[in-house]
Structures are given as structure tokens and as C-alpha cells.
Amino acid sequence: MSRLRVALPKGRLFEPSAGLFRSAGAAIQDSGRKLLIPSTDPAIEFLVVKPGDVPVYVESGAADLGITGTDVLRESGADVLEPLELQFGFCRLVVAAPTHAHYPALPGGVTARVATKYPRLSQAFFAAAGRPVDIIPVGGSVEVAPLLSLSHWIVDLVDTGNTLRANGLVERETILHCGAVLVANRASQKLKLDAYLDLMERLEHAG
Ligand code: PRP
């Protein structure tokens, strides 16, 4: 059977992702600093990459499969299969603003500045609502942007809401409900069909 290469995301999705594959009989093996990591199933190997990079690895075929959040996946616009929704990584992509900030419009027709790690999804959301905004792309720590007047509002992920509260922000609108999802390269799903179907069955039972 052919070998499948699986891209796992660093960060908060890593442990549940590795746990899912462990339950499916493919536990990550210690590989020191090596980036291609063998598993207890010789037909499956892993690479661990930044969450935002999983879609491009899978779309290009550098990895056959991957786990990512639907937030990152929709933002990337990657053309991949999504064979399995997973039961972890639930959160929301929201518009948030300081407690007393004007919303959904600023006085005097001023165009709102919106800081976010999700420029495409944010732009699409406000465009669909017919509300022009200036998107300010940032790489992280988005919640600080309104405090420093970099932006009026933000678009970011919310899980517990603790980060928003700690920075004096409140949710205004939900853009997307997100969760972890298994993604697959279109070509390798066909070329490695036996291995793919076998793994899919094991993951469905493990999840
Ligand atoms: C995410 C997100 C928020 C926070 C929300 O950041 O960007 O900052 O988690 O979680 P909460 O509602 O439970 O407080 P993450 O910790 O993944 O780090 P990042 O900013 O580097 O993406």
C-alpha cells in the first residue's frame, strides 16, 4: 500500500490531531529534530507545520492529507477535499470592537479600520454587507490594535472570549463558525485510493 504524508498543525490543534491519529493506529514517533516524522504505522508519516501553511502543503500535493481549521482553510481559498469534519477546534470568527466604540458605522461617514489575520474573509464579509472598511492585515496579537488606535475594530477568532474581555473588546457579529477538518489532496486521493480509504475508515472510528 502507498505511504500517506499527513501535515499536522502546530499550536492548539496539534495535541487533538496527534491524538486522533494515535487512536487510529498511527502514533507519532520521536524523531528528534527531523521534520518528516515516522509513525507506528509504516504507511503514514507526518510533518508538522504552521497552521496557516497546512492548506498549501495539501493543495500542492507536498502532503497527501492535513488537519487545519476551517478559518485558515477558507482564508486560504485552497482547492482541497474535506472528507471529514473533526470533533475539536471549535471557535468563531467574529467582528469585535471596544465596549463603547461606534458600531456598525462610525460617525461622520469615517471608514472603519479593521485589523485582522483574516483579510480575505473580513473583506468578503463587509463587502457582502455593503459596508466599506479598510482592512489592516496583522500577523497576531490582533486584540491590541484598537487599544493603540491602529484600528477601530478587529476580526479574530474567539474560543472562551477571555482574550477579548481582557482587552476591553466585545463581540459584535459572527462571520464564521469554525472547527478542525481533515483535508486531502485531490490527486492523491485518487492515486492512493486504497491507503486513503483504509485511513479514512480508521479515522472515522477513532473520532
Ligand atoms: C487565538 C485568537 C485569540 C484567542 C482567542 O489566538 O487569535 O487571540 O486565541 O481565544 P479565547 O477566546 O479563548 O481567549 P492564539 O492563542 O491561537 O494565538 P495567535 O494569536 O498566535 O493565533
Side-chain angles (χ1 to χ4, degrees):
M1 208 182 274
S2 7
R3 172 178 282 192
L4 293 172
R5 184 175 299 149
V6 182
L8 297 181
K10 292 180 184 178
R12 57 175 76 194
L13 292 183
F14 177 76
E15 279 304 330
S17 302
L20 174 67
F21 275 92
R22 196 182 314 120
S23 304
I28 289 183
Q29 291 189 309
D30 185 15
S31 65
R33 299 287 297 167
K34 271 200 289 188
L35 295 177
L36 283 178
I37 309 169
S39 83
T40 48
D41 178 345
I44 294 174
E45 68 177 356
F46 296 105
L47 70 158
V48 181
V49 299
K50 294 209 168 181
D53 291 340
V54 170
V56 70
Y57 273 90
V58 175
E59 183 180 39
S60 67
D64 301 299
L65 294 156
I67 289 180
T68 185
T70 44
D71 53 319
V72 162
L73 184 60
R74 303 285 172 258
E75 178 68 19
S76 75
D79 180 21
V80 292
L81 300 172
E82 297 174 42
L84 206 55
E85 285 181 13
L86 305 174
Q87 296 306 310
F88 54 84
F90 297 113
C91 56
R92 324 186 277 294
L93 185 70
V94 307
V95 189
T99 313
H100 299 296
H102 292 276
Y103 193 89
L106 299 181
V110 172
T111 302
R113 295 190 305 277
V114 180
T116 186
K117 285 186 291 187
Y118 300 87
R120 282 173 60 144
L121 290 174
S122 303
Q123 190 72 65
F125 173 77
F126 287 106
R131 291 152 51 193
V133 295
D134 289 332
I135 300 293
I136 306 198
V138 292
S141 305
V142 184
E143 290 87 353
V144 83
L147 296 176
L148 305 178
S149 300
L150 174 63
S151 73
H152 299 94
W153 310 327
I154 65 167
V155 167
D156 200 17
L157 291 183
V158 176
D159 177 11
T160 62
N162 289 339
T163 312
L164 287 186
R165 271 190 295 279
N167 291 286
L169 302 170
V170 288
E171 282 182 61
R172 297 297 192 177
E173 286 180 88
T174 300
I175 296 180
L176 186 68
H177 288 275
C178 314
V181 64
L182 184 78
V183 291
N185 176 269
R186 287 187 180 279
S188 67
Q189 187 258 0
K190 294 197 185 77
L191 296 170
K192 302 182 181 179
L193 187 62
D194 288 352
Y196 176 88
L197 291 177
D198 175 64
L199 176 61
M200 217 48 63
E201 193 181 330
R202 285 154 56 193
L203 288 173
E204 274 168 22
H205 287 105

